[in-house]
C-alpha cells in the first residue's frame, strides 16, 4: 500500500501501455537494486545505452539483466551495438550473445549506418522469430543527417516497421533531447511534425524518447497518463510517474488519466 | 575529526540557522544512508518533492523517514501533496497520515491552487497546533502566474505567514531554478526584487530555494555562510557546505563566516 | 571477459596514457564501490574536488582512499585545498596529512591565489621528492582572471611545470566546462588556442578537463582514443570509455584507436 494512497489516482503499469523505458548508462548493481526497490514497478523496459554493455564484464551484465527481470523489466542492449554487429557481419553472433546474456528485447536502428528497407524488414523478422521483443528506432544520431528526415519519412518508417512485425518503435532523441528528432535546439517539441506522426500511426506502438522533464510533461498533457516514454534517467523514474498521475505542478489537474 | 581539520573554519550546523534543505525526488534507502553517512550532518531538512511520497510504498516511506531522523534531519512531504489534499477536502487525513508516517514538518503552499489569506492563516495555525514544524512557500509553479507576483506581494506573504505562526518560509524556485521566483531565465538573481525581500523580512526565517551552484554562491556571498538554502540535490550537499566555508574557488576568501 | 567481446576493440587502460581522471565531489563509499566494481578499471586518477575532503571525517576519507587504491586508482585532494594550505603557511602539514590519509598524488594550482614562478618550481620539487605523483593545474577559477591568460601563457606554464618535474598538467575547465580555459560560453573548444597548446607541448602529459560529453568527443576525435581527460563525473565513466572505443554514435567509425 502506498503512503497517502487516499489522495492519489491509480495507474496500471506493466500492462503494455503507458510504457516507461529507462536508460541505463552503466549504473552499478547495488544502486540499480536500490532504485528499482523504490520505483521499479513503474518501469517496463531498460535500455543498456549504445555500446555500454560491451565494456562490462559478462557476469556483471548477466547479474544486471537478472535484477531487471526480477522487477518484471525487460532489458535490452542499445541499438548502436546492433549496428556495430551488423556492419561487422556478426548479426547472428550478436543475437546469440544477447540471448545468452538473458536480454529479452532487441533494438534495431540505423542511427549511424545505412540499411536498405528490404534488409530492415528481414532483420525485424529474424529478431521476432528468435523470440525477442522487437523494437526499432527511427532517427539519426548525427543532427545534420537527422534533419534530412521529414516527418513523413519518419511516419513511413514507423508504419513499415510495424507492418514488418516490430512490437514497438522508438522516436530518437538521444540522451540529451535537443536539436534532434522532434525537438528543436532548446528541446521544445516541433508540433507540426508531431501531428503528422501522431495522426498517421498507432501511437500505442510508439515510444517517445523524452529525456527532459518539460518534454515528458508535454507528451503527458497531449496524449494522457499512458503515453509511452523513453530514455528516462534512473533517478527520474519517480518524478515521471508523479507527472503521469498529476502529482506534480506541471500536470496537476490537467492530465487525462484515461 | 575531519581530514585536514587544521586548515578549515568550523560551522555549527543544525542550530537553526544556516539551514540546508535537501530535495529528495525518490532516492532509494541504500543510497540515502550512503550519502547521509558522509554528509548528513550538513543537512537540516529533507523535502520529499511534490507528490513523490504518494507513489511509494508506506513501509518504504517510513523507513526513509527513520533514516532521516537518525541523522537529525527533519523530513516532510512536498507542498503539492498538501495542495492535492486540500482541494480534495482531505486536509485532516493528510495531517494524520503525515504524522503516522513520522514526518516532522509540513509545507503549506499554493503553487497550483488558490487559498484565501484567511484560510492560509487558519491552516498555519492548525499545522502548528498539531506539533509540526510549519513551513510555508511563496510562489507559483506556473511561470506565467508566478510573474504576476511582485516582490512586495511576496514580502507581504512572508510577513503574514510568519505572523500567523509559520516557522520558516520557502521562496519558490522549483527543481530547475530558472525563470521563476527571484531568478531570471538564465537562473540569475533579480537583485532589485531580492533587496525588497531581504530588507523587509527576517531573513533568518526565509529559506531560499537555490538549486544551482551559482545561485548558492550568490546567496552565500551576499548573506554569509549561514544563509538558509533549499532544493539542494543529495549529491550537492558536500559541495554546498564547502562553498559556505570558503573551501571552493567561488567563495574562497570572500565569505562572511558570521 | 566482457559481454559482446567479439564486437569491440581493446584498449589498455592504466598504462600511463589515455588517462581518465574522475571528479569525486563527495560520493559515499557504498556508491563508490558500486560504480568502481562495474567501471573502475577505466579510471586512473580520482580528484576529491576542491576542499571537499576537508569537511568529511578522517576515517571516511581514509576508507575512500583505500577503496580507490584497491581498484588501482590514484586518489588526490583538490588543488584548492593545496592553495588554502599554502596561503596559511601550512604546506608541510598539508603534505603530511595527505600522506597519512593515503593520497598518492598532489595537485598544485593557483586557481584562486598568486604564486611566483620560482615558488611554483620549488613546490613542484618538494611534492615530487615526497614521492607523490605531481600534478599541476593551469588556469584561474574566476573567468575574468582566467580570460587574461593567453594560450601562449598557458603553454609556457605547462612546459615550465614539466621542466620543474611535474608528472602531469591539468588544463582547468572546472566542474561546468563553460566560459573557462579553452572553452567558450557554450562549452565549445576554442580551436586556435588548443592548437597553440597541442603543438607546443607534450600532450601525453596534459590532462584536458572536459566535463561535458561533446567536449570529450571532440578531444577523442582530435587526439585519438588515448587522450587524457579529466573531471569526469562518476556516472559518466562508462559513457566516456565507450566514446574512446567508438561504441557510441558520436565517435563510431571515426576514432583513432592508436
Amino acid at each position: 500500500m502506498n503512503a497517502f494512497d487516499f489522495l492519489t489516482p491509480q495507474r496500471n503499469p506493466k500492462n503494455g501501455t503507458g510504457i516507461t523505458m529507462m536508460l541505463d548508462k552503466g549504473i552499478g548493481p547495488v544502486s540499480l537494486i536500490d532504485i528499482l526497490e523504490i520505483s521499479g514497478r513503474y518501469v517496463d523496459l531498460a535500455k543498456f545505452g549504445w555500446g555500454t554493455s560491451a565494456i562490462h564484464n559478462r557476469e556483471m551484465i548477466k547479474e544486471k539483466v537478472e535484477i531487471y527481470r526480477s522487477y518484471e523489466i525487460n532489458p535490452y542492449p542499445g541499438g548502436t551495438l546492433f549496428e556495430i554487429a551488423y556492419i561487422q557481419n556478426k548479426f547472428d553472433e550478436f543475437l546469440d550473445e544477447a540471448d545468452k546474456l538473458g536480454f529479452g528485447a532487441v533494438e534495431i536502428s540505423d542511427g549511424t549506418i545505412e540499411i536498405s528497407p528490404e534488409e530492415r524488414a528481414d532483420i525485424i523478422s529474424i529478431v521476432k522469430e528468435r523470440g525477442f521483443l522487437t523494437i526499432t528506432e527511427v532517427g539519426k544520431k548525427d543532427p545534420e543527417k537527422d534533419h534530412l528526415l521529414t516527418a513523413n519519412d519518419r511516419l513511413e518508417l514507423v508504419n513499415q516497421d510495424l507492418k514488418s512485425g516490430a512490437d514497438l518503435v522508438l522516436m530518437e532523441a538521444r540522451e540529451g533531447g535537443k536539436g534532434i528528432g522532434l525537438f528543436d535546439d532548446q528541446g521544445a517539441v516541433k508540433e507540426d511534425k508531431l501531428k503528422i506522426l501522431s495522426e498517421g500511426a498507432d501511437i500505442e506502438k510508439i515510444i517517445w524518447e523524452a529525456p527532459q522533464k518539460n518534454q515528458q510533461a508535454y507528451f503527458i498533457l497531449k496524449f494522457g497518463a499512458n503515453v509511452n516514454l523513453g530514455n528516462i534517467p534512473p533517478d527520474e523514474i519517480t518524478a515521471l510517474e508523479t507527472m503521469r498521475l498529476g502529482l506534480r505542478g506541471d500536470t496537476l489537474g490537467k492530465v487525462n488519466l484515461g
Side-chain angles (χ1 to χ4, degrees), chain A residues 2-3 10 32 65 119 137 145 151 167 172-173 184 193 198 208 232:
Chain A
N2 284 351
Q10 298 294 321
L32 180 59
V65 162
E119 285 174 304
E137 188 176 57
K145 288 186 187 160
D167 297 294
E172 171 76 82
D184 68 19
K193 292 183 190 294
S198 64
W208 312 95
I232 308 302

PDB file of all heavy atoms in Angstrom, chain A residues 2-3 10 32 65 119 137 145 151 167 172-173 184 193 198 208 232:
ATOM      1  N   ASN A   2       0.522   2.195  -0.874  1.00  0.00           N
ATOM      2  CA  ASN A   2       1.287   3.435  -0.937  1.00  0.00           C
ATOM      3  C   ASN A   2       0.962   4.372   0.224  1.00  0.00           C
ATOM      4  O   ASN A   2      -0.144   4.346   0.758  1.00  0.00           O
ATOM      5  CB  ASN A   2       0.974   4.185  -2.241  1.00  0.00           C
ATOM      6  CG  ASN A   2       1.671   3.556  -3.429  1.00  0.00           C
ATOM      7  OD1 ASN A   2       2.513   2.673  -3.285  1.00  0.00           O
ATOM      8  ND2 ASN A   2       1.320   4.028  -4.610  1.00  0.00           N
ATOM      9  N   ALA A   3       1.950   5.186   0.587  1.00  0.00           N
ATOM     10  CA  ALA A   3       1.683   6.291   1.505  1.00  0.00           C
ATOM     11  C   ALA A   3       0.675   7.234   0.850  1.00  0.00           C
ATOM     12  O   ALA A   3       0.631   7.341  -0.375  1.00  0.00           O
ATOM     13  CB  ALA A   3       2.981   7.024   1.813  1.00  0.00           C
ATOM     14  N   GLN A  10      -4.999   5.807  -9.389  1.00  0.00           N
ATOM     15  CA  GLN A  10      -4.218   4.609  -9.665  1.00  0.00           C
ATOM     16  C   GLN A  10      -3.931   4.515 -11.159  1.00  0.00           C
ATOM     17  O   GLN A  10      -4.737   4.929 -11.973  1.00  0.00           O
ATOM     18  CB  GLN A  10      -4.989   3.354  -9.227  1.00  0.00           C
ATOM     19  CG  GLN A  10      -5.270   3.303  -7.745  1.00  0.00           C
ATOM     20  CD  GLN A  10      -4.011   3.164  -6.906  1.00  0.00           C
ATOM     21  OE1 GLN A  10      -3.105   2.444  -7.275  1.00  0.00           O
ATOM     22  NE2 GLN A  10      -3.922   3.888  -5.795  1.00  0.00           N
ATOM     23  N   LEU A  32      21.351  -0.059  -8.664  1.00  0.00           N
ATOM     24  CA  LEU A  32      20.222  -0.477  -9.501  1.00  0.00           C
ATOM     25  C   LEU A  32      19.129  -1.106  -8.650  1.00  0.00           C
ATOM     26  O   LEU A  32      17.950  -0.757  -8.757  1.00  0.00           O
ATOM     27  CB  LEU A  32      20.723  -1.459 -10.572  1.00  0.00           C
ATOM     28  CG  LEU A  32      19.649  -1.989 -11.522  1.00  0.00           C
ATOM     29  CD1 LEU A  32      18.966  -0.858 -12.277  1.00  0.00           C
ATOM     30  CD2 LEU A  32      20.254  -2.992 -12.501  1.00  0.00           C
ATOM     31  N   VAL A  65      20.990  -8.003 -15.776  1.00  0.00           N
ATOM     32  CA  VAL A  65      19.828  -8.482 -16.529  1.00  0.00           C
ATOM     33  C   VAL A  65      18.868  -9.226 -15.591  1.00  0.00           C
ATOM     34  O   VAL A  65      17.648  -9.019 -15.631  1.00  0.00           O
ATOM     35  CB  VAL A  65      20.291  -9.388 -17.695  1.00  0.00           C
ATOM     36  CG1 VAL A  65      19.138 -10.239 -18.221  1.00  0.00           C
ATOM     37  CG2 VAL A  65      20.885  -8.533 -18.821  1.00  0.00           C
ATOM     38  N   GLU A 119      16.313  -5.040 -46.246  1.00  0.00           N
ATOM     39  CA  GLU A 119      17.110  -5.644 -45.180  1.00  0.00           C
ATOM     40  C   GLU A 119      16.489  -5.376 -43.813  1.00  0.00           C
ATOM     41  O   GLU A 119      16.453  -6.240 -42.943  1.00  0.00           O
ATOM     42  CB  GLU A 119      18.534  -5.066 -45.205  1.00  0.00           C
ATOM     43  CG  GLU A 119      19.396  -5.611 -46.336  1.00  0.00           C
ATOM     44  CD  GLU A 119      20.744  -4.903 -46.408  1.00  0.00           C
ATOM     45  OE1 GLU A 119      20.744  -3.650 -46.515  1.00  0.00           O
ATOM     46  OE2 GLU A 119      21.771  -5.569 -46.345  1.00  0.00           O
ATOM     47  N   GLU A 137      14.083   1.706 -34.059  1.00  0.00           N
ATOM     48  CA  GLU A 137      14.254   3.124 -33.748  1.00  0.00           C
ATOM     49  C   GLU A 137      14.284   3.916 -35.044  1.00  0.00           C
ATOM     50  O   GLU A 137      14.906   3.487 -36.017  1.00  0.00           O
ATOM     51  CB  GLU A 137      15.543   3.359 -32.959  1.00  0.00           C
ATOM     52  CG  GLU A 137      15.659   4.801 -32.455  1.00  0.00           C
ATOM     53  CD  GLU A 137      16.896   5.005 -31.588  1.00  0.00           C
ATOM     54  OE1 GLU A 137      18.017   4.734 -32.068  1.00  0.00           O
ATOM     55  OE2 GLU A 137      16.739   5.428 -30.438  1.00  0.00           O
ATOM     56  N   LYS A 145      22.354  14.782 -40.360  1.00  0.00           N
ATOM     57  CA  LYS A 145      21.673  13.727 -41.131  1.00  0.00           C
ATOM     58  C   LYS A 145      20.232  13.587 -40.670  1.00  0.00           C
ATOM     59  O   LYS A 145      19.324  13.337 -41.462  1.00  0.00           O
ATOM     60  CB  LYS A 145      22.412  12.395 -40.962  1.00  0.00           C
ATOM     61  CG  LYS A 145      23.743  12.363 -41.706  1.00  0.00           C
ATOM     62  CD  LYS A 145      24.365  10.975 -41.640  1.00  0.00           C
ATOM     63  CE  LYS A 145      25.782  11.023 -42.252  1.00  0.00           C
ATOM     64  NZ  LYS A 145      26.602   9.888 -41.807  1.00  0.00           N
ATOM     65  N   ALA A 151       9.026  14.623 -41.431  1.00  0.00           N
ATOM     66  CA  ALA A 151       8.046  13.940 -40.571  1.00  0.00           C
ATOM     67  C   ALA A 151       7.380  12.805 -41.343  1.00  0.00           C
ATOM     68  O   ALA A 151       7.097  11.743 -40.783  1.00  0.00           O
ATOM     69  CB  ALA A 151       7.014  14.938 -40.062  1.00  0.00           C
ATOM     70  N   ASP A 167       7.354  -4.758 -32.589  1.00  0.00           N
ATOM     71  CA  ASP A 167       6.389  -4.594 -31.497  1.00  0.00           C
ATOM     72  C   ASP A 167       6.244  -3.138 -31.100  1.00  0.00           C
ATOM     73  O   ASP A 167       5.163  -2.679 -30.745  1.00  0.00           O
ATOM     74  CB  ASP A 167       6.833  -5.420 -30.286  1.00  0.00           C
ATOM     75  CG  ASP A 167       6.857  -6.904 -30.581  1.00  0.00           C
ATOM     76  OD1 ASP A 167       5.764  -7.459 -30.820  1.00  0.00           O
ATOM     77  OD2 ASP A 167       7.952  -7.485 -30.616  1.00  0.00           O
ATOM     78  N   GLU A 172      13.761   8.606 -31.929  1.00  0.00           N
ATOM     79  CA  GLU A 172      15.097   9.022 -31.468  1.00  0.00           C
ATOM     80  C   GLU A 172      15.119  10.443 -30.863  1.00  0.00           C
ATOM     81  O   GLU A 172      14.591  11.387 -31.452  1.00  0.00           O
ATOM     82  CB  GLU A 172      16.056   8.985 -32.657  1.00  0.00           C
ATOM     83  CG  GLU A 172      17.425   9.581 -32.439  1.00  0.00           C
ATOM     84  CD  GLU A 172      18.335   8.676 -31.628  1.00  0.00           C
ATOM     85  OE1 GLU A 172      18.933   7.749 -32.204  1.00  0.00           O
ATOM     86  OE2 GLU A 172      18.426   8.907 -30.397  1.00  0.00           O
ATOM     87  N   ALA A 173      15.740  10.587 -29.685  1.00  0.00           N
ATOM     88  CA  ALA A 173      16.020  11.926 -29.142  1.00  0.00           C
ATOM     89  C   ALA A 173      17.362  11.960 -28.425  1.00  0.00           C
ATOM     90  O   ALA A 173      17.736  12.975 -27.881  1.00  0.00           O
ATOM     91  CB  ALA A 173      14.915  12.361 -28.181  1.00  0.00           C
ATOM     92  N   ASP A 184      13.510  20.846 -31.045  1.00  0.00           N
ATOM     93  CA  ASP A 184      14.367  21.912 -31.560  1.00  0.00           C
ATOM     94  C   ASP A 184      15.587  22.084 -30.652  1.00  0.00           C
ATOM     95  O   ASP A 184      15.791  21.303 -29.714  1.00  0.00           O
ATOM     96  CB  ASP A 184      13.573  23.213 -31.736  1.00  0.00           C
ATOM     97  CG  ASP A 184      13.119  23.828 -30.418  1.00  0.00           C
ATOM     98  OD1 ASP A 184      13.679  23.483 -29.350  1.00  0.00           O
ATOM     99  OD2 ASP A 184      12.196  24.653 -30.455  1.00  0.00           O
ATOM    100  N   LYS A 193       5.403  18.573 -36.783  1.00  0.00           N
ATOM    101  CA  LYS A 193       5.953  17.247 -37.115  1.00  0.00           C
ATOM    102  C   LYS A 193       5.302  16.156 -36.261  1.00  0.00           C
ATOM    103  O   LYS A 193       4.978  15.070 -36.743  1.00  0.00           O
ATOM    104  CB  LYS A 193       7.474  17.241 -36.886  1.00  0.00           C
ATOM    105  CG  LYS A 193       8.214  18.133 -37.891  1.00  0.00           C
ATOM    106  CD  LYS A 193       9.719  18.060 -37.683  1.00  0.00           C
ATOM    107  CE  LYS A 193      10.429  19.120 -38.510  1.00  0.00           C
ATOM    108  NZ  LYS A 193      10.303  18.893 -39.971  1.00  0.00           N
ATOM    109  N   SER A 198       1.552  11.522 -35.047  1.00  0.00           N
ATOM    110  CA  SER A 198       0.532  11.013 -34.124  1.00  0.00           C
ATOM    111  C   SER A 198      -0.779  10.737 -34.849  1.00  0.00           C
ATOM    112  O   SER A 198      -1.552   9.879 -34.429  1.00  0.00           O
ATOM    113  CB  SER A 198       0.310  12.004 -32.970  1.00  0.00           C
ATOM    114  OG  SER A 198      -0.199  13.224 -33.445  1.00  0.00           O
ATOM    115  N   TRP A 208       8.152   7.579 -27.232  1.00  0.00           N
ATOM    116  CA  TRP A 208       8.784   8.873 -27.461  1.00  0.00           C
ATOM    117  C   TRP A 208       9.975   9.011 -26.525  1.00  0.00           C
ATOM    118  O   TRP A 208       9.810   9.019 -25.307  1.00  0.00           O
ATOM    119  CB  TRP A 208       7.784  10.025 -27.201  1.00  0.00           C
ATOM    120  CG  TRP A 208       6.459   9.829 -27.863  1.00  0.00           C
ATOM    121  CD1 TRP A 208       5.345   9.288 -27.291  1.00  0.00           C
ATOM    122  CD2 TRP A 208       6.114  10.139 -29.220  1.00  0.00           C
ATOM    123  NE1 TRP A 208       4.315   9.243 -28.211  1.00  0.00           N
ATOM    124  CE2 TRP A 208       4.756   9.760 -29.401  1.00  0.00           C
ATOM    125  CE3 TRP A 208       6.799  10.694 -30.303  1.00  0.00           C
ATOM    126  CZ2 TRP A 208       4.089   9.922 -30.618  1.00  0.00           C
ATOM    127  CZ3 TRP A 208       6.130  10.860 -31.504  1.00  0.00           C
ATOM    128  CH2 TRP A 208       4.797  10.472 -31.663  1.00  0.00           C
ATOM    129  N   ILE A 232      14.490   7.622 -19.985  1.00  0.00           N
ATOM    130  CA  ILE A 232      14.287   8.235 -18.673  1.00  0.00           C
ATOM    131  C   ILE A 232      15.466   7.857 -17.772  1.00  0.00           C
ATOM    132  O   ILE A 232      15.762   6.683 -17.589  1.00  0.00           O
ATOM    133  CB  ILE A 232      12.973   7.723 -18.033  1.00  0.00           C
ATOM    134  CG1 ILE A 232      11.788   7.881 -19.012  1.00  0.00           C
ATOM    135  CG2 ILE A 232      12.717   8.424 -16.703  1.00  0.00           C
ATOM    136  CD1 ILE A 232      11.528   9.287 -19.498  1.00  0.00           C
TER     137      ILE A 232
END
